[in-house]
Amino acid sequence: MTENSQTPQPAATDALPTTYTPAAVEGPLYERWVERGYFTADAKSDKPAYTVVIPPPNVTGSLHLGHAFEHTLIDALTRRKRMQGFETLWQPGMDHAGIATQNVVERELAKDGKSRHDLGREAFVERVWQWKEESGGQISGQMRRLGDGVAWDRERFTMDEGLSVSVQTIFKRMYDDGLIYRAERIINWCPRCLTAISDIEVDYQDDDGELVSMKYGEGDDTIVVATTRAETMLGDTAVAVHPDDERYARLIGKQIKLPLTNRTIPVVADTHVDPEFGTGAVKVTPAHDPNDFAIGQRHDLETIQVLDERGIILTPGPFQGLDRFEARSAIVAALRADGRIVAEKRPYVHSVGHCSRCKTTLEPRLSMQWWVKVETLAKAAGDAVRDGRVNIHPAELTPRYFDWVDNLNDWCISRQLWWGHRIPVWHGPNGEMVCVGPNDEAPTGEGWHQDTDVLDTWFSSGLWPFSTMGWPEQTESLEKFYPNSVLVTGYDLMFFWVARMMMFGLYAMGDVPFRTIAFHGMVRDESGKKMSKSKGNVVNPLDWMDKYGSDAVRFTLARGANPGVDVPIGEDWVQGSRNFANKIWNATRFALMNGATVEGELPAAEQMTATDRWILSRLNTVVAQVDALYDDYQFAKLSDALFHFAWDEVFDWYVELSKTTFFAEGEQAKVSARVLGEVLDVTLRLLHPIVPFVTETLWTTLTGGESLVVADWPKAVTLPGADTPGGFHDKGAEQEIELVQQVVTEVRRFRSDQGLQPGQKVPARLDLTGTALAPHEAAIRQLLRLQPAEDGFHATASLPVAGAKVELDLSGTIDVEAERKRLTKDLEAAKKEVVQANAKLGNEAFLAKAPDNVVDKIRGRLTKAESDIARISAQIDSLPKG
């Protein structure tokens, strides 16, 4: 028996209700786990450490199906490692989610006709904290429902006092090292959220716009430019052409008139311009386009802000005060009236950036912001993967990671919000700047004030692997649990979060934040479509948990989790997983009622039936298979392997084949009961990390053990006197039971073809001479509902299978002529398949071109068809003659 810290007690067969009711089990069981401290992590332990941080969900949200998916995978990993003897830390917590949280509270204020400005900064931030305290516990409750084995005593929030110290410390260090600086650059600006957002928080989508070609200058000095944002022409400070474009050579250096204004602007030569695109001339608006800003820097052009922070025209004149989209139409109309419009194309479909939070069309805007200089940090993050310190799984995503970190631009980290970590820099009356660390005194006196911006949410969450453990203090937790063993996260966070953690971890800790990055895909609906509220296909996992139980939801999600691949999921699949939980429950109840036990050591192999030896041999194969798949993060494959082993081999074959032994009682029944107890013990342990609730309930009843959470992870089963590498294996027994399965499967198929009911009994004669099937005749008869052949037996069907012959008396149960016609039709189809396969295999030209796997497939079809011909012919011959 696999070891456990508590001596097993006899299984209480009356302790299990006849049906499994998840709602009655899951809540109390989870609270018992927490109360017993199973999920805590001891930094003083001498056990090897296994650490995973939770990708911190936004405090604004609730547990959606994507969270449930990710948490299931992490929980499975940590539960297994805990059972393997590791000091396991699954670090929980939540992110303050700057923009998202501020938006939520502002919407609440708007219901009362107020804005954050009505409250003022200090009162507004206090209001957000109040909202966090009221609403922030929702996710924690949902995580408990799912069964997350997190270290609740270590729960963190990205704006906790300790994490705030971490943020201030690293900002100060990077500022002093010249890695954080303040500069005026073009950024993505959201006129709704009134803040800068980073490039990776921009959602691009194709919008219907307009492309307007318009004429600048007068007479011979005219030049045509095109734009999709006509309103920005009020801020143009040049027209750019390529220096080698002969069409405009005479204009380079000249001043031309800018329509609708009293200004003239220069024509400049710049190699950025593509002479083959459009007219080969582009308008230059340095304050409202990143490429134009770069041109403006090279040519020392003036920058003119056309739009304010809300997208309203600033420029004095007839368009001042108009919204950007209203101004666009008005300016085009004015240009048209002035004879300046050369061409208009509507609709003009082009890619437009939108705020990922509120979906507002973004505006490129020149703004003074704080930046992280990423060149050396990004190189270190790339090198850590290149030299093998960090492994990306699946490996196919590694080039995508390199493509990002190798081409990373400086990171805009400031946000014009009130909720978040405030920039720890004080500005003086004469332009002085002082960065203040957590132990520094902030400057005081007239004219000194703290920077009003806050840090990008991803700045603080990028510190998550070590800030949660007390950094910058050199804590026992850091020494024990850093670096993390693995990061499990969606591939969509590769740029938002993963790269940030890599840069910060290497900079602050001098070591990578995690050894492995295991990327998973996105959860989609059963048709493979992205889930969204607008499509009405969003699923609340709590609804499914209420209906089918948390184990069913977890198993469904794990069974779809192929590395880095999106996961389609439908309610039918969850219902199927619920059926699996019920199957485990019912089979275990049957086993307990028939004496299944874990008491005493396993009998010797020679005391067992072939069926006993077969299931133990198969069990050891599955143990090794599951371990290998866990180590490769192949959750779908290991879940599928466990499903088929438990349902098919243990419950449908072993239990059924052993019923004759159990019903006969005696010593052999005791041997098989001990084997069945061992198989259930190990199978429940293997299943526990994915379906913890039902397995815990069954295992503690079966073994009397304390809890599967702290039980040992199973190893290969060995038998007395047969301690072989990889545990007990018996290929002979496996082959023997395979023959039994062939007989049962084939006869069942035949019975079904005849329209016989599964429970309908049929007289039969079994000729098992010369096969290994003789010891299994009673089991075969029971599984197939075959009665003995008594006087008057008339074999109307004869089935040769697995070297044996099964004769059935179907007198009065089938239409012989109809059966003859059906079999004749099947025979002709098999013969046709042989002809077609032989034709292809005899075609040298085909064999020369066809891939090996295609040829092998055709050979397999030929073999099967020839076998079908022999089988069907024998069945036809066995039918009564007319």
Side-chain angles (χ1 to χ4, degrees), residues 81-354:
K81 285 296 182 180
R82 190 178 293 111
M83 295 173 74
Q84 287 181 318
F86 286 78
E87 191 63 33
T88 303
L89 169 60
W90 182 10
Q91 173 66 55
M94 286 180 284
D95 193 288
H96 67 279
I99 296 177
T101 304
Q102 180 158 316
N103 282 347
V104 168
V105 178
E106 285 193 272
R107 284 197 295 269
E108 291 296 312
L109 289 175
K111 294 177 182 178
D112 299 326
K114 294 181 180 180
S115 72
R116 60 180 163 123
H117 300 284
D118 294 323
L119 273 66
R121 183 167 191 148
E122 186 175 336
F124 176 77
V125 170
E126 185 178 335
R127 180 70 172 267
V128 180
W129 274 108
Q130 179 184 344
W131 178 90
K132 184 263 178 185
E133 293 304 317
E134 294 171 354
S135 304
Q138 183 177 1
I139 287 179
S140 297
Q142 293 166 332
M143 288 168 63
R144 284 174 158 82
R145 282 289 310 277
L146 189 64
D148 287 2
V150 299
W152 288 113
D153 59 317
R154 292 173 175 263
E155 188 174 10
R156 297 293 182 265
F157 180 55
T158 51
M159 284 185 63
D160 283 348
E161 182 179 351
L163 272 67
S164 295
V165 169
S166 299
V167 169
Q168 197 172 352
T169 300
I170 201 164
F171 188 100
K172 168 72 171 171
R173 291 188 185 179
M174 295 178 76
Y175 180 88
D176 291 346
D177 286 346
L179 294 174
I180 289 180
Y181 64 95
R182 192 169 184 249
E184 194 173 41
R185 301 267 185 85
I186 295 288
I187 47 86
N188 303 297
W189 181 266
C190 178
R192 158 61 185 79
C193 298
L194 300 180
T195 183
I197 66 171
S198 67
D199 292 342
I200 54 178
E201 293 174 297
V202 179
D203 288 341
Y204 287 95
Q205 65 184 51
D206 289 340
D207 287 357
D208 287 343
E210 60 181 0
L211 181 66
V212 179
S213 298
M214 48 196 179
K215 185 167 54 177
Y216 285 11
E218 301 286 356
D220 292 339
D221 292 344
T222 59
I223 192 166
V224 176
V225 297
T227 183
T228 59
R229 301 163 65 218
E231 69 279 6
T232 64
M233 60 86 60
L234 299 175
D236 286 358
T237 55
V239 170
V241 297
H242 194 277
D244 298 332
D245 194 335
E246 296 180 359
R247 293 172 294 175
Y248 303 115
R250 61 185 178 79
L251 293 177
I252 295 173
K254 282 193 174 185
Q255 295 281 328
I256 61 173
K257 182 180 179 181
L258 179 66
L260 306 183
T261 72
N262 294 319
R263 295 190 291 118
T264 61
I265 57 176
V267 177
V268 299
D270 197 284
T271 54
H272 170 75
V273 180
D274 180 2
E276 303 297 325
F277 183 77
T279 64
V282 297
K283 61 190 286 296
V284 181
T285 320
H288 292 282
D289 182 274
N291 294 322
D292 292 4
F293 178 77
I295 294 174
Q297 294 286 97
R298 287 194 289 271
H299 298 276
D300 197 24
L301 299 176
E302 181 184 6
T303 58
I304 301 174
Q305 288 275 12
V306 174
L307 302 169
D308 72 4
E309 60 182 9
R310 297 182 183 276
I312 305 299
I313 298 293
L314 289 167
T315 309
F319 310 110
Q320 187 175 18
L322 292 180
D323 172 80
R324 53 186 168 155
F325 300 118
E326 295 173 335
R328 183 175 300 172
S329 300
I331 288 171
V332 170
L335 289 167
R336 191 183 300 113
D338 197 29
R340 295 282 180 172
I341 299 298
V342 176
E344 298 178 69
K345 184 177 182 181
R346 295 187 187 87
Y348 179 72
V349 179
H350 62 135
S351 181
V352 177
H354 294 258

Side-chain angles (χ1 to χ4, degrees), residues 364-381:
R365 189 169 191 261
L366 184 63
S367 179
M368 184 67 75
Q369 302 286 343
W370 289 93
W371 303 81
V372 170
K373 189 181 295 184
V374 301
E375 183 179 2
T376 57
L377 301 174
K379 182 180 184 304

Side-chain angles (χ1 to χ4, degrees), residues 26-44:
E26 293 174 352
L29 186 52
Y30 185 83
E31 290 309 314
R32 186 156 64 248
W33 289 335
V34 174
E35 288 167 5
R36 291 178 177 177
Y38 292 155
F39 304 140
T40 59
D42 183 4
K44 298 180 184 296

